[in-house]
Amino acid sequence: MEDDIMLNEINWPHDYLPGFTDNFASNEVIVRGINAAETFANLIDTSIWPTYYSNVADVEFDNTEGTKLAPDTRFRFKTFGFPIEAEITEFETPHDGQPGRLAWHGWAEGNAEHRLDVIHAWLIENLSEGRVRILTQESQKGKPAAELHEDPKDPMNVGHQEWVRGLATAVLAAHQG
């Protein structure tokens, strides 16, 4: 049996190190019956995001054909009431026992009152006994991030938990379909 003691972590740029930014969200699920490769393939296909995550709309690509994220992709979408511009900063498919990694720098333009900068990162790894771990974390800077941090309804963690659960459910449903 494999040993799961050493779970992998997100690779953070120093400027976005959690604990030093204005807001941080961390969400994960561990599911059996799916694997990292198929989960990662579903995650990078933005055309299906709205089918399993209600807080995303209007995904458009700037420099890539199709609907799949790839290294250096520039794209935009709407989420949490913000129009987000984004660029892929990390892209590694799961392989040879290594986890899949996806991260983007996202930002909402604006002055000091309205500018939002984030790193949204995903880590998808196979675990022992046919399980997969889906982890997403987001570290945010700016006044809107600080306001989200103070919101007692915790919209970032609630929303992102819907995203990880929705992704897992979509991959599981593909097995049953």
Side-chain angles (χ1 to χ4, degrees):
M1 184 168 92
E2 294 175 43
D3 187 11
D4 292 336
I5 294 173
M6 296 298 293
L7 294 175
N8 289 283
E9 332 181 329
I10 300 292
N11 297 324
W12 290 107
H14 190 266
D15 288 352
Y16 287 88
L17 196 61
F20 293 98
T21 58
D22 297 308
N23 194 29
F24 175 70
S26 182
N27 303 86
E28 74 179 307
V29 295
I30 295 176
V31 182
R32 62 187 165 98
I34 60 177
N35 67 54
E38 65 191 334
T39 304
F40 193 84
N42 276 264
L43 174 61
I44 65 170
D45 186 352
T46 65
S47 70
I48 61 174
W49 285 0
T51 68
Y52 62 79
Y53 180 47
S54 66
N55 196 19
V56 67
D58 303 329
V59 180
E60 297 176 1
F61 285 73
D62 290 344
N63 65 347
T64 305
E65 293 292 321
T67 62
K68 293 186 179 175
L69 299 173
D72 303 315
T73 300
R74 291 273 322 241
F75 65 109
R76 67 179 66 85
F77 61 102
K78 292 180 183 159
T79 187
F80 291 99
F82 295 101
I84 300 294
E85 298 282 332
E87 183 171 16
I88 298 298
T89 58
E90 184 177 31
F91 189 99
E92 294 178 30
T93 59
H95 65 281
D96 301 325
Q98 295 300 308
R101 294 179 178 276
L102 177 68
W104 58 79
H105 172 227
W107 63 93
E109 296 289 349
N111 60 21
E113 293 290 309
H114 299 97
R115 173 83 183 193
L116 176 67
D117 277 280
V118 309
I119 296 292
H120 190 137
W122 294 81
L123 186 139
I124 300 175
E125 64 185 323
N126 288 318
L127 302 176
S128 63
E129 299 184 45
R131 299 170 301 141
V132 70
R133 175 183 181 222
I134 305 170
L135 171 67
T136 191
Q137 295 181 332
E138 185 167 302
S139 192
Q140 307 172 331
K141 300 191 299 186
K143 186 168 183 191
E147 291 169 355
L148 286 167
H149 178 73
E150 296 301 322
D151 187 333
K153 294 181 181 171
D154 201 12
M156 294 304 298
N157 277 303
V158 170
H160 288 167
Q161 193 65 26
E162 176 194 344
W163 204 346
V164 296
R165 291 179 70 185
L167 174 58
T169 300
V171 177
L172 280 166
H175 280 261
Q176 298 165 354

